[in-house]
Amino acid sequence: MTRHRQQVGGCTYEFDGLVDVLAKATPARSGDQLAGCAAGSDAERAAAQWVLADLPLAVFLEELVVPYEDDEITRLIVDTHERAAFAPISHLTVGGLRDHLLSVAASPDAGTRLAALAPGLTPEMVAAVSKIMRNQDLIAVGRAARVTSAFRTTIGGTGRLATRLQPNHPTDDPRGIAAAILDGLLLGCGDAVIGINPVTDSPRATAELLHLVDDIRTRFAIPTQSCVLSHVTTTLGLVEGGAPVDLVFQSIAGTQAANHGFGVTLALLAEARDAARSLRRGTVGEDVMYFETGQGSALSAHSHLGTDGAPVDQQTLEARAYAIARAFDPLLVNTVVGFIGPEYLYDGKQIVRAGLEDHFCGKLLGLPMGVDVCYTNHAEADQDDMDTLLTLLAAAGTAFVITVPGADDVMLGYQSLSFHDALYARRTFGLRPAPEFEEWLRALGMLDEHGGLREIDPAGSPLRELAR
């Protein structure tokens, strides 16, 4: 472990190795303060960022944040790192990588060049460079990185903004869920997935919800995919039992210990992916995995410790979760950025910054990255903050966002985006739904000649049966 020293404003600051530098260089957030690894002042943070900017990228291949022998995520990162893709930037420092990324983002072939670079980047490198970037930098590079995935719709295309239609209900009432689905469809939402968080994880209840959504999807020939966000083992059993499973969902985190708390391993995820693919339910692709992450998940499970027992900052651990996701070619990945609570992201400023970081890191690592633009009611945040983050993410080219009726999830008890918020983002930035879903909307007469959504009476539309 190398000790680092930096002088700022007449004071000298010392940092105990890479883990400490990464933590102290992170923009302020309550989770790192809770973990005891945050910078004690803006001056110390600036000193750490200075040290970080001068670190060679090769250091991240030599000094591991979480020990190789203790953690299967670290082994995945190291063993799958592509040296050939890394070679063109192997001479750079973290600061040099920032300059390189901004230069590439301004080039006409930025998407191709960033895609070629992705296998050569480790999550720790990407997290490190994000810590010395302004919000504007994160947006510029995030927008330039283009990643697509496909199942029944194609996610992540240029000029597209997809949405997850989240029709949660506090008792899993089929009528309430169907009403929310209708509401979302009439407002052009649901092209990424119709995804339900079930009240219980029982196989029977999960199967009933899967059949409910699949019946609606097939009856109205909706080109989308469904998902009931049960545990991966529940979904695996339902695949084996013949249920209409489109996507396999699982929450993941950046350490083996945290994933153990979720009850998952890399081997289990591989088994579930292969089982879902064997059903061959996709029409334009076979990307069947759906992952959710969130800064603070490892800390909340006390599974955030790295080399020599030092606490690893929550944003670096979040980026490590993306290494798991990209190993399984997911259709969808999203951070539920403000869901875990103010203990980890205290206010609107921290939530906005974290959302941009997560989107940037996911896209740069080659993921079809989306964001649940959200907060809990005891956070120092409000819907104006969510408007700001949504607008910035739309500018940054996010693949999808999550939408719920009225922006208020009555089952999970948190605030997200409404269906109308997605319309605002599409109209403001000239974005369109996934191409297959767009054609379906057009065939229903729901789009005008400019691609904008028409207001229609549900009782007079082909969806009238669902309205009843």
Side-chain angles (χ1 to χ4, degrees), residues 16 47 89 117 166 169-170 193 209-210 218 235 283 316 333 335 338 358 372 396 458 465:
D16 295 327
I89 60 166
L117 178 61
Q166 183 169 295
H169 191 277
V193 64
L209 292 175
L210 283 170
T218 55
T235 305
T283 55
T316 297
V333 182
T335 167
D358 294 350
D372 187 354
E465 293 180 33

Side-chain angles (χ1 to χ4, degrees), residues 172-429:
D172 286 343
D173 184 334
R175 293 170 299 176
I177 291 171
I181 292 174
L182 173 63
D183 190 16
L185 292 174
L186 289 171
L187 290 168
C189 293
D191 47 337
V193 64
I194 299 175
I196 304 171
N197 296 93
V199 174
T200 74
D201 198 47
S202 79
R204 178 178 177 180
T206 302
E208 289 175 351
L209 292 175
L210 283 170
H211 282 286
L212 169 68
V213 181
D214 195 60
D215 178 62
I216 292 172
R217 183 190 64 79
T218 55
R219 190 189 315 174
F220 300 103
I222 307 170
T224 189
Q225 33 283 327
S226 63
C227 185
V228 177
L229 282 66
S230 56
H231 190 268
V232 62
T233 53
T234 301
T235 305
L236 185 56
L238 292 171
V239 170
E240 294 169 350
V245 173
D246 289 342
L247 305 183
V248 175
F249 168 82
Q250 184 55 50
S251 295
I252 54 174
T255 66
Q256 179 177 326
N259 286 308
H260 178 76
F262 285 142
V264 296
T265 62
L266 298 181
L268 178 61
L269 292 174
E271 181 184 0
R273 176 200 57 195
D274 294 345
R277 281 184 174 175
S278 72
L279 299 178
R280 301 189 181 280
R281 291 173 59 83
T283 55
V284 296
E286 59 174 11
D287 299 325
V288 298
M289 301 300 286
Y290 178 15
F291 295 113
E292 281 193 335
T293 65
Q295 288 194 29
S297 56
L299 173 58
S300 67
H302 196 66
S303 302
H304 62 295
L305 303 180
T307 300
D308 296 326
V312 182
D313 70 273
Q314 65 184 35
Q315 192 251 335
T316 297
L317 291 180
E318 170 72 6
R320 281 171 52 92
Y322 303 155
I324 303 173
R326 73 173 174 178
F328 293 98
D329 301 316
L331 177 74
L332 306 169
V333 182
N334 71 260
T335 167
V336 281
V337 63
F339 180 75
I340 303 180
E343 300 85 357
Y344 308 96
L345 295 169
Y346 178 71
D347 58 15
K349 182 174 182 178
Q350 292 187 11
I351 292 171
V352 167
R353 173 69 190 190
L356 294 176
E357 289 170 349
D358 294 350
H359 177 261
F360 163 85
C361 290
K363 289 283 286 293
L364 199 54
L365 289 169
L367 293 175
M369 196 71 192
V371 178
D372 187 354
V373 178
C374 64
Y375 65 101
T376 58
N377 287 315
H378 59 310
E380 292 294 322
D382 58 28
Q383 212 65 32
D384 284 341
D385 297 312
M386 300 306 102
D387 288 347
T388 299
L389 180 53
L390 171 62
T391 302
L392 296 176
L393 287 169
T398 191
F400 72 102
V401 293
I402 291 179
T403 55
V404 304
D408 183 6
D409 191 304
V410 296
M411 194 279 279
L412 291 176
Y414 79 117
Q415 308 303 307
S416 186
L417 297 178
S418 72
F419 305 133
H420 294 85
D421 293 331
L423 285 182
Y424 147 77
R426 285 174 174 164
R427 287 171 177 164
T428 302
F429 290 91

